[in-house]
Amino acid sequence: VLLVESGGGSVQSGGSLRLSCSASDETYPIYYMAWFRQAPGKEREGVAAMNRDGTTIYADTVKGRFTVSEDESKTFTTSQDNSALTVYLQMNSLRPEDTAMYYCAASPLSDFPPLQFGPERGGSWYTSWGLGTQVTVSS
């Protein structure tokens, strides 16, 4: 699955941004789509995830401020293929500590901690990753 993120940029503290992740090139049925972020010198961390059942989960640091959703015109929760699927991350009340590269990820797996990059033995739960989009929040 090919993932392409967009929508990053620079905003002041308290501002908002909406990131988009477009999925295409069906190679497996997606069960989870997630947003991760990585700040310089820090590990990649899970921010929000949505599964095929429509269940969403958020990191405590963004709960109440960020919302993950999908394009209602073609949802991966109901679609039989991955062509032209889009998932969004609406980010409100942004803080300087939200500054990071934001990545979209997709996985065919259903039984794993969706905000965790991967198991301790190595690798990632997520099969596909986008190249990322930069979000910078100034104070």
Side-chain angles (χ1 to χ4, degrees):
V1 176
L2 178 65
L3 302 175
V4 178
E5 304 97 335
S6 62
S10 297
V11 295
Q12 291 190 328
S13 182
S16 298
L17 284 172
R18 189 176 80 158
L19 307 183
S20 299
C21 173
S22 297
S24 61
D25 187 20
E26 174 189 6
T27 52
Y28 58 83
I30 296 174
Y31 192 85
Y32 266 107
M33 290 194 75
W35 289 95
F36 283 73
R37 67 185 181 187
Q38 187 167 19
K42 295 188 177 181
E43 293 187 353
R44 192 169 296 192
E45 63 172 351
V47 173
M50 168 182 278
N51 69 16
R52 181 169 285 275
D53 297 330
T55 301
T56 56
I57 184 171
Y58 299 92
D60 288 343
T61 52
V62 306
K63 204 171 292 183
R65 301 188 297 124
F66 289 13
T67 303
V68 60
S69 63
E70 54 184 339
D71 190 329
E72 294 182 356
S73 65
K74 186 163 187 186
T75 67
F76 89 96
T77 58
T78 60
S79 177
Q80 297 301 309
D81 64 70
N82 301 329
S83 60
L85 298 176
T86 301
V87 173
Y88 304 104
L89 183 67
Q90 177 67 42
M91 305 185 295
N92 298 326
S93 302
L94 282 163
R95 305 166 180 168
E97 53 264 38
D98 294 320
T99 295
M101 184 72 81
Y102 282 71
Y103 299 91
C104 179
S107 175
L109 305 175
S110 61
D111 187 18
F112 70 98
L115 297 184
Q116 188 178 92
F117 177 84
E120 290 186 2
R121 63 180 180 274
S124 176
W125 298 116
Y126 288 88
T127 303
S128 304
W129 291 85
L131 295 180
T133 185
Q134 178 67 38
V135 171
T136 302
V137 184
S138 58
S139 57

